[in-house]
Amino acid sequence: MSKVNAVLKSLKMNKHFSQRVSHIWQNSPVDAVYGPIPQDLDPKIVSYLQENNISLYSHQAEGIKRCLAGENIIVTTPTASGKTMIFNLSVLNSMIKNKKARAMYIYPRKALANDQMKSVLALEKALEIKVNPAIYDGDTPQSQRGTIRFRSRLIMTNPHELHHCLGTHYKWKKEFWENLEYIIIDEAHMYRGVFGSHIALLLRRIKRICNWYGGKPKFVLSSATIANALQFAEKLTQEDSFSLIDKSGAPESLKHFALYNPFMEDLEYYLSSSNETLRLFHLSVTQGLQTLCFVGSRKMAELITYFSKGSLNKKNLADLADKVIAYKAGYTPGERREIEQSLKKGDLRGVVSTNALELGIDIGSLDAVILAGYPGTISSTWQQAGRCGRGKEDSLAILIAMEDPLDQYIMKNPETIFGANVEKAIIDERNPHILFGHILCASAEMPIKVERDYPYFCRNEDELMEILEALHHQYLVSPTPRGWVYSGKTRAPELVSLTDSDMNSSFKVICNGVVLETIERDKVYDEAHPNAVWIHMGQQYLVKEVNESLQAITVMRKDVDYYTKTMKEISVSNIKEEERIVYSDKHYSLCKGTLTVTKHILGYKVIKDDQVLEIHNEEFPSTSIDTTGMWIEFENGFAGLKNKDESVFYSGLVGIEHALLGISPLFIMCDRRDIDGKTSAMHPETKTPAIFIFDNFDGGIGLTDALYITFDDVFEKAAYIVNNCKCKDGCPGCLYLPQRKEENMSINKEVTKRFMNFMLKPSVH
């Protein structure tokens, strides 16, 4: 019996596991489909392929053919299908034929560039051409940068480095920008939401520089499967013609995919999702499967690792415990690369990771992947599950449901995952909060001439002029005979963060003078407040001090048998309505507009074995964002009730909020944490009971705009789930959200159902 079958047997025969397995799917193994070598491919490359017995899969052959024809392409074939071969051979073919040709590879993370450099160097050597490929990122020493800018024909970089170095484009050889034939964007699906909006504008800045030098690069995008691939590629790159390659010719081995529900109806007892994750991770690694476990947060990665090591040590499996480790973005680059290499060589048995390992870093072929909670999109689910089974051996993926409506919906409707549907990738390149920053950076890269440059950023000249004048009033840009130029005192890129994980907005976690890792500013008081338990590499620490001026968190090493969790509250203010749909016969209105969301941290809990030991009421600094949202205002007479029935109103409205938040990620490509909500029994500004759903990002990114447009469909699906759930008082399958445990208890399911059914298919006026 294979190791995978041994674990499958436990899932089917062990009473504890079998009661919680809601569905097991398996694919039909697929043989490879090959395509002909494109006729225009250089003889050197053809010989290389023939001498090494390399046959091109059909999608690789088609992709190379379209690249050689000068087309922009986006490739959305599955994980490990050989997408890299398409752009590597196309780029090197161009460089053989044109000695001046240049290429830029853009990866979302440094680790991917380091990983892919090896294959490019091997091809350069095999083809005997001089490309001088080089990585140009934050780790590149200043002493090497000048040489790279002058000699390298192929640059591997990332958005953060480009953001900071475009202002010194004049230091590069003119030929680089003039002859930049290809811009490769790997893992393009990562560029959605806020990050995607930033990258769309960053690419416009790059194109503006290239065009000024006379260059016009072609784009090759590699992506996971998304529903709107062509539209997404065109919006991201501002190119109006792309070819889509989505039919894979790569072989697929046998994969088993189990859906595991810790909250199945009629269970004798329940354990938390984290406890069930620990059990399944323990089962997998002790059965000999090299296992990667994806979790939703850095803290959970450390907690699962810590308790897993403890469990293995208690069973006298210390050698195995030493082969289990956490992986997360806060670790140093050296630590992460060491873990990646150890995983690839087989030295590690189990790794518990955030989505930092979701991308195409080469970590070899794993036996099993465990997903602790639905990752937020079907696309990400298959990206993570695709990390196992890259060879010919069977593999196993397990999705463990969290206690929220979306996960529970998936458990009851497995076709959501195993059907053909995937989400759209949403970006909003016109987000004013983001747009202002990139126009500011563009003015520092070269003078902005309104009549020449408005198409890169705005709909018309007047719109760009309005933004430049607003920046001028802030003393950030100035008009000159050459155009508008940056006039601020700080380097322009330092004023604009592509993500909250930029180093200038991060805090260092320090123990005895040694930096352990970093944490984003907005997570400091949530995860690393004074007296919080901090876990690093499976070891526990207590937070002693948070120093705002030094952006430093001081911790001390200490083993404890508990962990901490903050208590939070949200308030909504400064509501500015932009649109309204009035459902007069139903006595409510649907609105959208802008608002301010303030998050207050009111203290923390000390928790052991899922039991609260202590509650510490202590207010930490609050954070506010100005964002976009939609909201529902309820009038007197709604569902036959009066506003004086405030407690009844509130119990039903909270249920509606939870139902909408739970199902929304099925309609838009977002993480469940990208949107949030707040219910008010009587909001002081609207003067009505109200439910608010908002983008969880400063400036908003268009997510709730999309929900507003499709509200009837979203609401109908949410109502269907609530009406068809068999529970009496509410449960994780319909109304309970894991991050809102106290609110869950205030929901009256019958009132929620009454309200939602009253609202279904209303007349619009």
Side-chain angles (χ1 to χ4, degrees), residues 612-663:
V612 177
L613 302 181
E614 300 174 12
I615 295 178
H616 294 262
N617 296 308
E618 184 176 352
E619 192 162 343
F620 297 116
S622 60
T623 58
S624 294
I625 59 171
D626 295 317
T627 186
T628 55
M630 70 174 191
W631 60 94
I632 308 170
E633 296 179 7
F634 299 89
E635 305 163 7
N636 283 341
F638 172 74
L641 295 174
K642 301 293 184 182
N643 284 351
K644 65 182 180 180
D645 302 312
E646 186 173 294
S647 62
V648 178
F649 251 102
Y650 186 76
S651 68
L653 299 191
V654 172
I656 296 174
E657 178 206 336
H658 283 213
L660 290 173
L661 285 174
I663 202 64

Side-chain angles (χ1 to χ4, degrees), residues 29 172 268 295 331 367 377 380 425 443 505 514 528 540 600 698:
W172 296 65
E268 297 174 13
V295 295
Y331 289 171
D367 302 309
T377 67
S380 287
S443 72
S505 64
V514 177
Q540 291 179 312
H600 312 268
D698 203 7

Side-chain angles (χ1 to χ4, degrees), residues 7 61 122 169 172 184 238 317 338 431 439 536 555 570 613 684 699:
V7 174
H169 60 86
W172 296 65
I184 309 300
Q238 204 185 35
L317 296 171
E338 184 178 346
N431 176 304
I439 290 175
H536 174 79
V555 300
I570 294 172
L613 302 181

Side-chain angles (χ1 to χ4, degrees), residues 19-48:
Q19 288 181 328
R20 291 162 173 81
V21 173
S22 64
H23 185 78
I24 297 179
W25 170 92
Q26 70 178 42
N27 68 339
S28 299
V30 176
D31 293 330
V33 177
Y34 298 101
I37 295 176
Q39 292 181 350
D40 293 336
L41 207 55
D42 189 90
K44 277 190 176 183
I45 298 178
V46 174
S47 296
Y48 164 78

Side-chain angles (χ1 to χ4, degrees), residues 52 315 324 408 547 663 686 697 713-714:
N52 290 276
K315 296 186 177 182
V324 171
Q408 294 302 311
N547 190 313
I663 202 64
T686 67
F697 297 95
D713 292 336
V714 176

Side-chain angles (χ1 to χ4, degrees), residues 121 141 148 154 199 228 281 296 321 342 370 387 443 487 537 540 554 588 609 714 725 754 761:
L121 287 170
I148 292 172
L154 190 158
I199 302 312
N228 59 334
F281 184 64
S342 296
I370 296 172
R387 286 314 232 151
S443 72
S487 56
M537 290 285 189
Q540 291 179 312
T554 304
Y588 79 91
D609 298 328
V714 176
C725 185
R754 178 181 173 183
K761 297 182 179 178

Side-chain angles (χ1 to χ4, degrees), residues 156-212:
M156 293 188 177
T157 186
N158 60 69
H160 299 286
E161 178 62 30
L162 287 169
H163 175 56
H164 285 276
C165 80
L166 286 180
T168 57
H169 60 86
Y170 54 85
K171 291 185 178 181
W172 296 65
K173 285 185 70 176
K174 175 177 178 290
E175 286 80 6
F176 181 84
W177 305 106
E178 183 182 25
N179 297 287
L180 187 58
E181 292 197 6
Y182 282 101
I183 293 179
I184 309 300
I185 304 176
D186 200 16
E187 306 288 356
H189 60 280
M190 295 296 294
Y191 302 131
R192 62 184 187 263
V194 167
F195 193 34
S197 301
H198 276 293
I199 302 312
L201 290 164
L202 177 67
L203 291 173
R204 284 153 176 73
R205 287 160 53 194
I206 294 172
K207 288 174 61 177
R208 176 172 172 258
I209 291 170
C210 287
N211 293 167
W212 190 80

